[in-house]
Amino acid sequence: MQTTAVASRAALDTLDASFSGRLLTDPADTAPFCTDWIKRWSGQALAVAQPDTVDDIAAIVRWCAANKVPIVPQGGNTGMVGGAVPGPDGRALVLSTKRLRTVRAVDPVNNTLTVEAGVTLVEVQQAALKAGRLFPLSLGAEGSCTIGGNLATNAGGVGVLRYGNARELCLGVEVVTAEGQVWNGLRGLRKDNTGYDLRDLFIGSEGTLGIITAATLKMYPLPAARMTALATVASPHAALRLLELAQQRLAASLTAFELMSEFCMDLAAHHFPACRKPLDTPSPWYVLLESSDPISEEHARDSFDRLMEEAMESGLISDAAVATSLAQSEAFWNIRHHLPDAQTREGDSIKHDISVPISVIGDFIVATNAALEAASPGIRMVVFGHLGDGNLHYNVSPAPGGSGPAFRAQQEMFNEIVYEAVRRANGSISAEHGIGQLKRDQLPHFKSDIEMALMARLKAAFDPQNIMNPGRVLR
Ligand code: FAD
Ligand code: 2HG
Ligand code: ZN
């Protein structure tokens, strides 16, 4: 692409006239859109477009295609891999979906709802609740992330164990293609074998193939009751045995199973006083588990209490707090959801969002912790995650006061140790956050040449001018 930022600026007036909504060009206005949530990537935008409708988006994309201007789609800008912010050269247009906020349809009989891309995840959950249904995708950033971003990253979160990733919750999408055409694939069908599944290509493509402008999503019955507990376990191995027991006793009612190390709990309490530990017994590891019972409050409590008693009697857990109110349950979840923020407030963090087969996760943590601590004495491991999905946030913080370039320079060494262990375990270097900028150059080392070549051909077919989030996912 040869177009310069200067040439594109001259044409910005024609862009402004081509759509309703706002076009921000003053660097003071565009700056908030140019730095990511963890403040690791900062760039510059040619402009930030905030369109109101899908037709506006199509007009903007056509303008970008004609002027060869790269587009960086952005939803809530809560992504963890630097995919939603522009690069430093100031050539790209940030296309924010935040003004596409309509809930277009709710169909409680089909158990579906259709929402526009900029609706936040919490608002999607609320729209389902209003219809007496559950939209089960849930994650710490749900107040600000958008459903478009959730689908573009195939987000995971804390309900995957029972309901699956964002992909499993989406029946249809509407997309503006890289040529500025609108594809309406908003089908609410649970069965539809009519050729290649284009919906599944756009989901998880991180804005590199097209812009998701709306989606038809699945709703579920609301559970009759929920039970939440925070329990102490001696090791990740014990947590795994507890997971097995909980799955046997609660079956599909087990909806969340999260692991947190003691250091994570301490970090949350230190940076957020409301996140004080509800248990006095010291423990190296904690599990936050939740059941969603379809039958009744009484049934929920009986089966959950029986599970906790059995776990206590068999020595799998040494202490547990079972929430007796919604407020208490929310307080437990509050601790879990504040971990990313707590680690950021503590200073630098090097993140690894990995998955391995659940069966090997205990050995993985013991061996890889030892290797990292030997390679860089004093580091503090921040290990937590969605144990029920085999997905760990296997993050590294420096020794107290050790944030800075010297720590950050060790990133490659940490990555090598962690990703080599992931490779040996037949795991993935990105379980739920995606590839973005952060892992783009690692990807070819973890995919076969055939996979990389097929992905490159797909990209070329969908986005022949390479204007859709260029340089993300693929080089
Ligand atoms: P953005 O950050 O704006 O964008 C993410 C990517 O999608 C970018 O590549 C962007 O270009 C692209 N994109 C955005 N919108 C569109 C669109 N409409 N069409 C095409 N491409 C688009 N993630 C998890 O998976 N599980 C978790 O448990 C989880 N917890 C989190 C907790 C916290 C506190 C935070 C800050 C983040 C967490 N995340 C988690 C990461 C993040 O919230 C998710 O990746 C979320 O899905 C991103 O949504 P967003 O609207 O913020 O997308
Ligand atoms: C979570 O599960 C998110 O809280 C963020 O996926 C993980 O901060 C992280 O590494
Ligand atoms: Zn997560």
Side-chain angles (χ1 to χ4, degrees):
M1 223 175 300
Q2 302 303 321
T3 317
T4 64
V6 178
S8 301
R9 270 179 213 285
L12 277 178
D13 286 347
T14 57
L15 171 62
D16 205 4
S18 71
F19 74 100
S20 68
R22 296 204 301 171
L23 187 71
L24 311 175
T25 51
D26 185 330
D29 296 331
T30 58
F33 298 84
C34 295
T35 299
D36 73 306
W37 188 86
I38 42 176
K39 307 222 166 358
R40 176 174 175 159
W41 292 276
S42 252
Q44 279 182 41
L46 173 67
V48 175
Q50 296 183 306
D52 287 333
T53 66
V54 56
D55 289 336
D56 289 336
I57 293 194
I60 294 167
V61 174
R62 283 196 298 272
W63 180 90
C64 288
N67 291 281
K68 296 189 167 53
V69 169
I71 301 170
V72 179
Q74 188 179 99
N77 195 15
T78 66
M80 293 266 166
V81 291
V85 288
D89 63 12
R91 292 175 54 240
L93 179 94
V94 173
L95 199 158
S96 166
T97 59
K98 280 207 140 176
R99 286 162 72 107
L100 270 83
R101 304 183 37 78
T102 307
V103 175
R104 290 193 193 161
V106 180
D107 182 345
V109 178
N110 197 40
N111 275 313
T112 50
L113 80 171
T114 298
V115 295
E116 293 189 341
V119 178
T120 64
L121 178 52
V122 141
E123 289 164 344
V124 179
Q125 295 165 353
Q126 285 164 352
L129 194 60
K130 220 168 130 195
R133 299 288 186 274
L134 172 76
F135 182 65
L137 189 68
S138 173
L139 46 96
E142 62 198 21
S144 42
C145 64
T146 61
I147 195 67
N150 298 148
L151 290 168
T153 57
N154 186 24
V158 295
V160 175
L161 180 62
R162 165 71 178 84
Y163 299 102
N165 294 300
R167 184 188 301 285
E168 275 87 38
L169 303 173
C170 178
L171 293 173
V173 287
E174 177 187 81
V175 168
V176 170
T177 69
E179 276 134 4
Q181 293 172 312
V182 181
W183 170 51
N184 184 335
L186 292 172
R187 300 185 188 103
L189 304 176
R190 283 167 175 80
K191 294 188 131 183
D192 178 22
N193 282 346
T194 50
Y196 306 132
D197 199 327
L198 300 179
R199 170 201 58 192
D200 270 357
L201 281 174
F202 287 107
I203 296 174
S205 65
E206 300 181 47
T208 62
L209 299 183
I211 297 168
I212 298 170
T213 50
T216 298
L217 306 165
K218 285 186 200 167
M219 299 191 294
Y220 287 81
L222 279 171
R226 281 203 181 96
M227 297 294 299
T228 317
L230 189 70
T232 57
V233 290
S235 64
H237 292 88
L240 282 178
R241 292 202 297 281
L242 178 62
L243 172 64
E244 209 183 336
L245 183 69
Q247 280 175 322
Q248 278 166 5
R249 298 294 178 262
L250 301 176
S253 294
L254 181 69
T255 40
F257 198 96
E258 298 284 312
L259 179 73
M260 295 174 274
S261 70
E262 181 176 35
F263 181 57
C264 291
M265 300 288 286
D266 291 343
L267 265 189
H270 177 69
H271 291 286
F272 301 98
C275 294
R276 225 179 42 245
K277 263 189 262 182
L279 295 166
D280 293 329
T281 314
S283 172
W285 293 94
Y286 292 77
V287 164
L288 176 56
L289 67 162
E290 187 162 275
S291 76
S292 304
D293 194 283
I295 299 170
S296 68
E297 180 95 40
E298 203 187 347
H299 186 264
R301 186 157 291 282
D302 279 357
S303 36
F304 202 77
D305 284 350
R306 256 185 280 126
L307 165 71
M308 298 311 281
E309 272 164 32
E310 195 177 341
M312 191 75 86
E313 277 160 19
S314 58
L316 280 183
I317 61 180
S318 50
D319 197 1
V322 178
T324 53
S325 65
L326 187 60
Q328 235 173 23
S329 161
E330 279 170 0
F332 296 173
W333 276 112
N334 213 20
I335 300 175
R336 168 62 185 87
H337 285 320
H338 274 85
L339 297 183
D341 213 354
Q343 195 187 9
T344 305
R345 285 179 188 218
E346 182 69 8
D348 283 343
S349 66
I350 292 174
K351 289 185 183 293
H352 303 106
D353 162 39
I354 53 137
S355 61
V356 295
I358 297 173
S359 44
V360 306
I361 222 163
D363 293 346
F364 177 95
I365 294 175
V366 172
T368 319
N369 274 9
L372 289 167
E373 280 154 8
S376 183
I379 54 161
R380 295 172 297 169
M381 293 306 299
V382 180
V383 181
F384 63 101
H386 318 287
L387 191 73
D389 315 324
N391 174 192
L392 285 181
H393 298 306
Y394 194 68
N395 300 343
V396 188
S397 281
S403 290
F407 173 72
R408 290 195 289 273
Q410 297 181 73
Q411 166 161 321
E412 230 164 87
M413 177 188 72
F414 294 141
N415 287 353
E416 257 170 47
I417 293 172
V418 175
Y419 293 154
E420 217 20 69
V422 166
R423 187 196 300 282
R424 281 197 300 275
N426 242 327
S428 168
I429 60 164
S430 181
E432 58 174 8
H433 296 162
I435 298 297
Q437 309 186 47
L438 179 65
K439 297 178 187 172
R440 183 196 64 188
D441 294 339
Q442 304 279 350
L443 195 62
H445 304 299
F446 288 85
K447 297 247 178 218
S448 66
D449 291 348
I450 297 175
E451 272 175 296
M452 291 305 295
L454 286 173
M455 284 183 17
R457 271 191 251 163
L458 273 174
K459 168 75 176 167
F462 277 79
D463 179 19
Q465 292 202 92
N466 191 26
I467 58 166
M468 290 305 312
N469 223 354
R472 313 300 156 89
V473 182
L474 299 174
R475 185 172 269 286

